[in-house]
Each structure stands twice: as structure tokens, then as C-alpha cells.
Amino acid sequence: MENKYSFFQNRECEFFPCHRGADEESFNCLFCYCPLYFTPCSGNYSFTSQGIKDCSGCLFPHKRENYQKVTDLLTKEIYNRRKL
């Protein structure tokens, strides 16, 4: 059974797809605002000269197959913060 809750597209969004080079057919908009922004994630990110995390080169949360990885990383981060 396919997990229908793990994939969403908004093709009417003025920014769709918001990353250059993304495969439009499998682009997942579910994590439009990346929940991993404040975590040391597995994505392809960099920092601007002002120290701002730049995720424009990252497609990790937008790939359909990464839903479980994203939720696992969030769970781990929440658990680690509870220990503090």
C-alpha cells in the first residue's frame, strides 16, 4: 500500500518547482518550508556570507522517497533536544 500522506504537489504554486533541475513529476511539495532547516541535515546546503543557511541547491526533502528519512531525522532531533 502506498503512503498517500507522504507526497503532495502544488502545481499551481507560482514557484513550482522551486528548485532548478528538479524532476517535476516526482517533486514533493510536502516540506515546502524545510523542517530540517535548523538541523544538521543530509541535504546539499551552504551558508551565505551573512551566516544564513542556503538550501536552494538541496532537493533532499522534495524527493518522494525521502519522506521517511525526513521524519526520522526530525524524530531524532526532537529526542536529542529533550535530553538537554
Side-chain angles (χ1 to χ4, degrees):
M1 183 170 99
E2 181 182 345
N3 296 330
K4 298 199 183 287
Y5 58 82
S6 65
F7 184 81
F8 167 77
Q9 276 191 341
N10 182 8
R11 289 182 173 261
E12 294 179 18
C13 175
E14 63 184 294
F15 302 107
F16 183 85
C18 58
H19 293 271
R20 273 184 259 142
D23 176 18
E24 290 186 19
E25 293 305 310
S26 64
F27 191 82
N28 192 353
C29 300
L30 185 64
F31 298 119
C32 177
Y33 291 96
C34 184
L36 302 175
Y37 183 81
F38 294 105
T39 69
C41 67
S42 303
N44 180 26
Y45 64 90
S46 60
F47 288 95
T48 67
S49 58
Q50 292 83 22
I52 298 169
K53 189 174 181 182
D54 177 5
C55 303
S56 60
C58 178
L59 292 171
F60 181 78
H62 298 294
K63 292 184 179 179
R64 174 177 266 180
E65 65 270 16
N66 287 343
Y67 173 81
Q68 190 63 51
K69 293 174 187 170
V70 169
T71 57
D72 288 348
L73 285 167
L74 284 174
T75 301
K76 180 180 175 184
E77 186 66 23
I78 290 167
Y79 179 76
N80 287 338
R81 288 179 186 228
R82 289 183 70 200
K83 290 178 167 181
L84 299 176

